[in-house]
Every structure is written in structure tokens, then in C-alpha cells.
Amino acid sequence: MDYRDKLTDWDRAIAKLDSKMRVLIPPGCGEPQALVRALCARADRFRGLTLVSGLLLTDYPFLHPRYADNFRYLTTHVMPGSRQAVAQGSAEFVPLRLFDAPRIFSR
């Protein structure tokens, strides 16, 4: 199998996700903005899909109230784009050292 055989489109990739799963969104400059947009565009597939990230540099589109039933958001870094959601309880702040993240989020 070569590299081209591993390529897929967003519909097929997101079809493999289940609402009981956790999706790790890499933070900062590694944020996969196309993935976030694709998840939001297909949000109706999910009921409580957990998104986990730290510092994001975009506007947190998945925190829009229209996605309240579709996504659950856990963050290790509260930024202006997520501050209101954390304060209102629609996102959760998980204080931890990055060293502990694999142990905490793998449960």
C-alpha cells in the first residue's frame, strides 16, 4: 500500500467517528482547521462527541450554541474564544500539566 492508498475525504474520515469517541485537536499552529470545519459541517452526525484541545488560535466554531448537543469540549488552556463557554459550563477546563495529558485523556 502506498501513500495515495491511505488518502481519504472528510466524509469517509468523519464517518469512522462515533459520538462516544474523543477527538484530540492539536493545539496552536498545529490546529487542523480543515478538520474543525469538517466536523462542524457534519455536526448533525454526533450527539456529544468530545473534542479535546489546549490553546487554539481560531474562534472555536464548535462552541457556537447551535452545536451544544453535538459536541462536548474539554480544554487544558482557557483562551478568549473559550472563556465564556467555560464560565457558562458549556465547555470544561481540565487543569493539568501537559506531561499528564496522555494518562488523563486516555481513560
Side-chain angles (χ1 to χ4, degrees), residues 22 24 50-55 72-79 82 86-87 91-107:
R22 292 181 187 153
L24 176 64
T50 301
L51 306 178
V52 180
S53 77
L55 164 85
R72 176 177 176 233
Y73 181 55
L74 304 176
T75 184
T76 60
H77 197 110
V78 179
M79 292 293 292
S82 64
V86 169
E92 297 174 51
F93 172 58
V94 181
L96 59 80
R97 296 174 302 183
L98 289 179
F99 174 83
D100 293 326
R103 181 178 55 82
I104 299 291
F105 291 122
S106 66
R107 291 185 193 152

Side-chain angles (χ1 to χ4, degrees), residues 18-21 39-51 62 64-73:
D18 179 274
S19 290
K20 296 176 184 138
M21 295 178 165
L39 285 168
C40 289
R42 294 155 183 84
D44 59 337
R45 288 193 75 254
F46 306 109
R47 288 290 168 256
L49 177 69
T50 301
L51 306 178
F62 49 83
H64 190 281
R66 71 174 160 257
Y67 302 126
D69 293 333
N70 309 105
F71 302 121
R72 176 177 176 233
Y73 181 55

